[in-house]
Amino acid sequence: MMHTASQTIDLKGSWQASTSGGEHAVSMPIPGDVHSALADAGVIPEPYFGRNEEAVQWVAERDWVIERRFTVDHVEGDWYLDLDYLDTVAVVFINDVPVLTADNCFRRYRPPVSHALQQGENRIRIVIHSAISAGAERQARQPFYIPYHKGNSPIPNGNMLRKPQCHFGWDWNIALSPLGLYGRVAIRKLEPARIEHVTTRQVHAVDGSVELHVTATVFAQDPTVVPVHFDLDGERVRLDCGIERGETQVNHVFVIENPRLWWPAGSGEQAVYTLTVDVPGDSVSRTIGLRTVELLTDPDEAGSRFAFRINGREIFCRGANWIPADALFSRTSPDKTEDLLRSAIQANMNMIRVWGGGFYEHDWFYDLCDRLGLMVWQDFMFACNLYPCSDEFLDNVAAEVDYQVKRLASHPSIVLWCGDNELVGALTWFPESVDNRDRYLVAYDRLNRVIEQGVKKAEPEGIWWPSSPASGYLDYGDAWHADGSGDMHYWSVWHENKSFDNYRSVKPRFCSEFGFQSYTSLPVIEGFADRKDMNIASPVMELHQKNVGGNERIAGTMFRYFRFPKDFANFVYLSQIQQGLAIKTAVDYWRSLKPHCMGTLYWQLNDTWPVASWSSLDHGGGWKAMHYMARRFFQPVNVMPVPAEGGGTIELRMVNDTAEPVTLDANIFALTMTGEQVPLKTASGECGADRAGLLATVDLVDIPPGAILAWSFIASNGLSGEGHYVAEGYKALELQPSGLDLNVTTIGDGAYELEVSATGLALYIMVESDMAGRYSDNAFDLPAGGSRRIVFTPSSPPAAGTVPAFRLYDLHSCQSAG
């Protein structure tokens, strides 16, 4: 959403920050956060480096003051302060007059300030209370103790505050409890009205036309008449409206006879229209996409479905979970976020889930999703804790929900509003709620009902889902292990240390969370660790692993499937290969169950700082091995191996997520340890539109001893792919030297062409560079005598004559000192 106003004093830019006692005074850009300003000024060390997280904990324990001066030439009239993303418990003073007391990072505040302004120079001062102190004070006021997840949140009582829950730590986040102001801050004059909200509703007629019902909520201090303009892609109308004191709703209907429909990525065009509503002195713009969305939950033999239907067509959701782009707001930007979201699209994703422990993102984030065709599963910002149910807390939540839904609901990308992340499961995590489930369940239900009623009121057509995971409406059961209905979070492979094969023991209707950890890439580790710390058990590496037992699980899984890597760099590489293999095992099987399963969103897309985690993108946006693998396993047409029950045979199943039937032709062969391809059979099959089916069956006895199953396919729509399957674990393979070689050529636009060749069998070849950038392909296999040309595009143009240092990994060299 974009705002313009003729009488606006924009207060973004340079402010001063200091403790409430006047210490550590630094310049601070707004929007921005205090930790970044202190780090930039050298007051604190770089928080992400080494063990500096421990050295900067004092920042969150203090109260901070941010302030600046501004000039008002004429103070007559009705002025108000307009701000949002104020983090979090704060009092705003203008010329020492308190004009706002705020305690919700997710609300917009617009208090009147005329009484505090003076002609000429003015001072605005925001006193931000320590979230640690504020959380403790609020916990002490509760009628009974409200537990929070101490494993996720080493900084206590974050559940008392309407602030991103991951700010207090998480099992992938640095615990800083940041503070600051991350949105707009301006002094505006009512002339004589402003626009509070613009909401829309679509009515799709049988003849294909669409009515777009637009409601503008206009606020004025006194009754008046104002011209209201509605503009949809240049079709502009003017309504002269009588406005009451307070809020008045003004309605207009656009009829679009031949609409261009908005489709998710890969299913059609991402057609968008620009809607603008303006009154004198204020204007609001929205991205509009014309589309219908349904969530299908009809009962069937297994339980009940969970499938999205867009414009009348069921869409299989391929994607990942989104967490904030950085632990510190100042280190994010629209460009960096766009790079992350484009990486999702490039990996054949069509949905992301904005997870409930971060932010309701800025308008430009959803504009990007609209234009890229990324459907958004939008959680409300409650995660993994229990929460108060006092009137004060619930009133605050109700205001937050009303504002956020009205702000965001017109985005075509948002297809679901979900009440929270894992709050039903959290009822079983704490002794207090186990001992008195009724009390805490009622408290949860009150909160959940306030959110639901807020959604229904603000967007009556919005699709509501009570919680993630949930088996259904008003179902408070275990959706972590029940796979018959609703959405599922399946964590048994990681948290319960089950085998990768265990992913095939469940048949989710929609798996909205499942994940496996790896280390962040070596060039990223080199940015936060000294050479002496390049050991998985070093204190620095352990501090950059926030999941209890995570390092042991990564290593233990290697013992299960692989021969142990020879050094630190290969340990990091192999952790990424096994992460990709875990998620591929799950996605392949669940996609093959289509239409029983209609969505897989892995945990997680991105990282908030450099850390061992479940992400497929490094902090900074680089692609881990899994992201290259995801581009293949999320391909709209694909072939996947599924061991038949009882053993002895492997089914090669095919899946087609496109709207047209396709014919697949496959070559199926064995790969020997010397890298020879031994033909086994060819197969051809037709896969219907939006369907999965069986392409071929291979008897394991037909595979020569010591060899592995492999295949390549091409589909009639031009998509192609390849893969291999190892039945007994890679550590059983007697791999031979792969003889990898690399030839680098500089090509135009600052890119490099790499020719990778092998004299023997090379599995999971990974090319890595000391220079940030992206490869056209990676984590691929080569047979003996095979070669592949790939292009490396640096993130920023290299200096003339510079050639990056490339490093090659593969499974044999990773495990062998020879």
Side-chain angles (χ1 to χ4, degrees):
M1 185 172 70
M2 192 172 57
H3 261 279
T4 57
S6 58
Q7 285 283 8
T8 295
I9 302 164
D10 194 334
L11 298 179
K12 68 173 181 281
S14 182
W15 291 49
Q16 295 296 308
S18 65
T19 66
S20 54
E23 301 168 299
H24 307 299
V26 295
S27 174
M28 177 176 170
I30 293 293
D33 68 87
V34 168
H35 285 79
S36 295
L38 294 172
D40 289 345
V43 174
I44 59 172
E46 165 50 48
Y48 299 172
F49 187 84
R51 295 171 64 186
N52 289 343
E53 176 183 1
E54 299 164 340
V56 301
Q57 289 302 308
W58 64 270
V59 176
E61 294 163 3
R62 306 288 183 90
D63 293 349
W64 291 85
V65 178
I66 59 173
E67 60 184 303
R68 67 164 290 170
R69 296 184 183 275
F70 63 95
T71 303
V72 183
D73 294 333
H74 304 285
V75 293
E76 308 77 35
D78 291 317
W79 294 85
Y80 64 97
L81 174 65
D82 190 8
L83 60 68
D84 58 5
Y85 291 98
L86 174 56
D87 186 12
T88 284
V89 179
V91 182
V92 181
F93 298 86
I94 293 178
N95 302 322
D96 295 325
V97 178
V99 295
L100 172 66
T101 301
D103 66 347
N104 190 326
C105 187
F106 310 129
R107 286 174 63 179
R108 177 184 66 190
Y109 294 100
R110 289 180 152 182
V113 297
S114 298
H115 62 290
L117 291 176
Q118 56 196 31
Q119 194 92 358
E121 188 174 80
N122 292 257
R123 182 170 70 128
I124 181 168
R125 177 168 53 100
I126 304 177
V127 180
I128 306 178
H129 192 23
S130 161
I132 299 175
S133 302
E137 290 161 9
R138 288 174 186 228
Q139 183 71 266
R141 295 209 301 264
Q142 298 303 317
F144 52 88
Y145 178 71
I146 312 293
Y148 63 93
H149 193 302
K150 293 183 173 67
N152 277 341
S153 303
I155 297 177
N157 300 313
N159 56 334
M160 296 293 105
L161 302 178
R162 297 310 301 136
K163 168 179 173 62
Q165 296 296 276
C166 67
H167 278 180
F168 300 91
W170 218 260
D171 58 4
W172 38 260
N173 200 25
I174 186 170
L176 294 177
S177 187
L179 61 154
L181 203 170
Y182 317 138
R184 65 183 149 215
V185 54
I187 306 281
R188 301 187 192 279
K189 187 177 182 182
L190 273 180
E191 289 193 312
R194 67 177 184 238
I195 301 169
E196 294 288 57
H197 307 287
V198 173
T199 57
T200 61
R201 184 168 63 88
Q202 300 178 20
V203 179
H204 290 249
V206 179
D207 66 3
S209 65
V210 178
E211 290 182 358
L212 182 69
H213 294 246
V214 184
T215 300
T217 304
V218 180
F219 173 88
Q221 284 287 12
D222 299 300
T224 184
V225 174
V226 294
V228 183
H229 288 97
F230 294 84
D231 187 300
L232 185 69
D233 268 13
E235 182 188 334
R236 187 168 169 86
V237 296
R238 169 177 170 154
L239 303 177
D240 291 312
C241 302
I243 305 292
E244 301 297 316
R245 175 181 170 82
E247 292 187 355
T248 302
Q249 292 193 340
V250 182
N251 298 293
H252 179 68
V253 179
F254 289 99
V255 178
I256 302 100
E257 299 288 355
N258 298 299
R260 296 175 2 258
L261 295 183
W262 183 92
W263 287 93
S267 296
E269 184 191 0
Q270 285 75 60
V272 292
Y273 297 75
T274 300
L275 170 69
T276 304
V277 180
D278 57 72
V279 298
D282 201 9
S283 175
V284 173
S285 289
R286 292 251 183 269
T287 303
I288 302 295
L290 303 175
R291 51 94 178 112
T292 61
V293 182
E294 301 159 87
L295 177 63
L296 309 178
T297 55
D298 9 350
D300 59 15
E301 310 76 56
S304 57
R305 301 198 66 208
F306 193 99
F308 288 93
R309 190 154 63 194
I310 312 292
N311 300 329
R313 182 180 157 213
E314 288 188 29
I315 305 281
F316 189 98
C317 299
R318 306 181 303 258
N321 284 261
W322 171 269
I323 60 176
D326 202 285
L328 293 171
F329 176 82
S330 294
R331 301 182 176 199
T332 68
S333 73
D335 285 348
K336 289 177 185 175
T337 296
E338 180 169 0
D339 183 60
L340 297 172
L341 295 176
R342 284 196 182 277
S343 288
I345 290 292
Q346 287 158 1
N348 287 307
M349 297 186 194
N350 60 16
M351 175 179 272
I352 54 166
R353 172 174 173 238
V354 177
W355 167 79
F359 285 100
Y360 308 93
E361 295 286 345
H362 283 70
D363 291 283
W364 52 259
F365 174 95
Y366 300 96
D367 286 339
L368 274 169
C369 292
D370 295 340
R371 291 189 162 84
L372 292 171
L374 275 171
M375 293 180 282
V376 174
W377 169 312
Q378 178 67 52
D379 280 2
F380 287 91
M381 293 300 121
F382 302 87
C384 297
N385 293 315
L386 304 184
Y387 290 89
C389 64
S390 62
D391 289 347
E392 175 192 24
F393 188 85
L394 295 182
D395 287 349
N396 201 357
V397 169
E400 164 190 327
V401 170
D402 185 70
Y403 167 61
Q404 293 293 351
V405 174
K406 286 175 177 172
R407 176 174 76 97
L408 298 175
S410 294
H411 286 281
S413 52
I414 296 183
V415 297
L416 184 79
W417 298 100
C418 176
D420 62 73
N421 175 76
E422 298 190 349
L423 264 55
V424 176
L427 291 164
T428 68
W429 298 348
F430 309 105
E432 296 86 353
S433 53
V434 171
D435 292 345
N436 195 344
R437 182 174 167 89
D438 288 357
R439 163 187 277 177
Y440 290 95
L441 178 60
V442 167
Y444 167 74
D445 187 62
R446 284 181 181 168
L447 171 64
N448 196 247
R449 208 61 51 236
V450 163
I451 301 169
E452 180 188 12
Q453 288 166 357
V455 172
K456 294 278 167 64
K457 188 175 175 202
E459 194 202 3
E461 289 77 29
I463 294 175
W464 161 258
W465 189 245
S467 180
S468 187
S471 296
Y473 189 67
L474 295 179
D475 185 320
Y476 301 110
D478 176 6
W480 277 259
H481 298 92
D483 59 354
S485 304
D487 76 309
M488 185 179 199
H489 290 187
Y490 195 63
W491 279 105
S492 296
V493 173
W494 175 257
H495 287 303
E496 297 170 33
N497 206 23
K498 300 278 179 73
S499 72
F500 293 174
D501 290 336
N502 181 262
Y503 282 123
R504 292 190 283 261
S505 71
V506 291
K507 298 179 177 178
R509 311 317 297 267
F510 192 110
C511 201
S512 46
E513 264 193 35
F514 59 103
F516 202 89
Q517 265 202 359
S518 72
Y519 293 103
T520 190
S521 301
L522 188 63
V524 178
I525 293 172
E526 289 169 344
F528 70 77
D530 293 325
R531 184 149 297 283
K532 67 179 173 58
D533 299 314
M534 301 280 179
N535 185 300
I536 298 308
S538 74
V540 167
M541 289 301 295
E542 289 195 333
L543 191 73
H544 289 250
Q545 162 62 277
K546 296 300 187 182
N547 186 240
V548 175
N551 288 346
E552 294 93 319
R553 197 153 300 134
I554 291 172
T557 303
M558 283 183 191
F559 276 127
R560 181 183 279 167
Y561 294 113
F562 299 96
R563 301 185 190 190
F564 218 58
K566 64 187 180 188
D567 59 19
F568 179 80
N570 281 286
F571 199 100
V572 171
Y573 154 78
L574 192 56
S575 79
Q576 292 200 4
I577 298 302
Q578 76 177 12
Q579 175 194 31
L581 189 60
I583 301 311
K584 177 184 186 300
T585 303
V587 171
D588 278 356
Y589 180 62
W590 296 339
R591 285 188 73 192
S592 83
L593 302 176
K594 182 180 178 174
H596 172 91
C597 174
M598 284 302 289
T600 60
L601 308 179
Y602 65 72
W603 185 268
Q604 72 218 52
L605 180 66
N606 56 308
D607 272 336
T608 54
W609 73 306
V611 65
S613 85
W614 300 265
S615 72
S616 62
L617 297 175
D618 285 318
H619 181 247
W623 289 25
K624 289 172 152 179
M626 183 165 88
H627 209 80
Y628 290 101
M629 294 163 81
R631 182 164 58 189
R632 295 194 282 271
F633 65 61
F634 275 153
Q635 190 170 268
V637 176
N638 206 15
V639 170
M640 53 273 290
V642 177
E645 288 183 31
T649 60
I650 300 292
E651 294 179 352
L652 288 179
R653 300 185 184 178
M654 50 187 175
V655 67
N656 175 17
D657 286 352
T658 75
E660 304 294 333
V662 291
T663 302
L664 280 78
D665 292 301
N667 287 315
I668 302 163
F669 49 92
L671 269 176
T672 70
M673 291 303 98
T674 57
E676 292 173 86
Q677 295 173 306
V678 180
L680 295 177
K681 62 167 73 172
T682 59
S684 185
E686 181 165 305
C687 197
D690 289 319
R691 278 290 171 268
L694 179 65
L695 177 64
T697 302
V698 180
D699 290 326
L700 289 177
V701 293
D702 293 339
I703 300 172
I708 63 176
L709 174 66
W711 61 90
S712 63
F713 75 89
I714 187 161
S716 54
N717 64 357
L719 291 174
S720 61
E722 60 188 19
H724 74 253
Y725 177 77
V726 175
E728 297 300 322
Y730 291 86
K731 67 182 180 184
L733 302 179
E734 295 295 346
L735 294 169
Q736 305 298 308
S738 50
L740 280 183
D741 193 32
L742 181 65
N743 190 23
V744 181
T745 310
T746 303
I747 56 177
D749 297 331
Y752 304 89
E753 183 176 82
L754 283 56
E755 184 175 18
V756 185
S757 58
T759 58
L761 175 63
L763 298 179
Y764 298 120
I765 299 166
M766 192 79 189
V767 191
E768 184 177 270
S769 165
D770 57 351
M771 185 181 286
R774 198 137 312 151
Y775 298 85
S776 60
D777 198 7
N778 223 335
F780 54 87
D781 304 335
L782 285 178
S787 68
R788 184 167 301 189
R789 289 176 187 269
I790 61 175
V791 173
F792 173 70
T793 307
S795 300
S796 48
T802 308
V803 177
F806 292 104
R807 176 172 185 155
L808 287 175
Y809 300 87
D810 80 312
L811 204 51
H812 174 265
S813 61
C814 161
Q815 301 175 148
S816 167

